[in-house]
Amino acid sequence: MITTIENKNLSVKIDSLGAQLNSISLNGREYLWQGDPKWWPRRAPVLFPIVGSLRGGQAESAAGTCRMGRHGLARNLEHKILRQTAEAVTYELTSTADTLEQYPYDFRLCMSYRITAPGTLENRFAVTNTGKHPMPFVVGGHPAFQVPAGQAEGEAFEDYELRFTKKMTCTSPVLVGKDGLLDFTNQIPVLHNASILPLSHRLFDHDALVFEQVPNNTITLIGRKSEHGVRVDFPGFDYLGIWSAAGDAPFVALEPWTGCSTATDEDNCFEHKRGMRSLAPGETAEYAFSISVF
């Protein structure tokens, strides 16, 4: 079921299947990728309780074996609406016998979407451990945006750039193997003492870029001609994934993560994955990032 929240300028649609964003439209201009299956049929999956992949699709935890596909289980399940206003909606997903077969922990995940300014949407995760044992997990967003942004005319993918708030020197680990594990011993140079990364399809020849500790936890996608674009602010998220599909896809995903895919130097213990958080029984953790379109 598709639900709409809106104000005078911004209209946002959310799909209860996966509680994923379906549309972000500012003054009638669409910014969110619309899921063309030629390149990628999804739009903005919710990632929980893992980001990326497990080695061989599974890992051992204190509660038993975790068996999940890429990016976890939340993106493939129906979420129910808890509450809704004109400018906000909250969805709920709780553990079931089926989820316990994949992820042996009882949980409650609430995804909230709230318009906070004329062109800004807050995306909030609230994760609660409803079980009796400490619960390891990570969360992440995966919103993809059309390029050109906002249906701007007369621009190409290469007319866009990614801007950071400070100059930085950074590399990205390579994704390897059929599972897409991260090899932190094999790093691709991406930026050297620069704050602007020109967008090109060749950036994604090795799949996604993965950055740690992005300055001020902010990234902006902007067109040099139209100056249409998207800013994502993600305090509390230690990783940022940047991705576009093979075949010169006309979108780029800007993905705040609290953790990342299994790395080649990690063992198969679920709790040992980079960025893994642990919730005590009854405890709730919240993480939020915002999307501003212009």
Side-chain angles (χ1 to χ4, degrees), residues 225-240:
K225 296 178 181 179
S226 69
E227 296 190 347
H228 283 300
V230 179
R231 188 183 78 243
V232 180
D233 296 286
F234 48 101
F237 292 79
D238 293 336
Y239 297 86
L240 175 69

Side-chain angles (χ1 to χ4, degrees), residues 108-126:
R108 179 175 184 248
L109 170 66
C110 289
M111 284 302 305
S112 298
Y113 298 95
R114 181 170 64 99
I115 297 173
T116 59
T120 300
L121 176 72
E122 179 190 75
N123 304 242
R124 180 171 294 272
F125 303 76

Side-chain angles (χ1 to χ4, degrees), residues 130-141:
T130 59
K132 298 179 180 180
H133 307 285
M135 187 182 87
F137 75 99
V138 297
V139 297

Side-chain angles (χ1 to χ4, degrees), residues 82-96:
L82 269 186
R83 52 188 174 270
Q84 182 182 358
T85 65
E87 298 185 7
V89 63
T90 297
Y91 293 85
E92 179 188 56
L93 179 69
T94 56
S95 52
T96 65

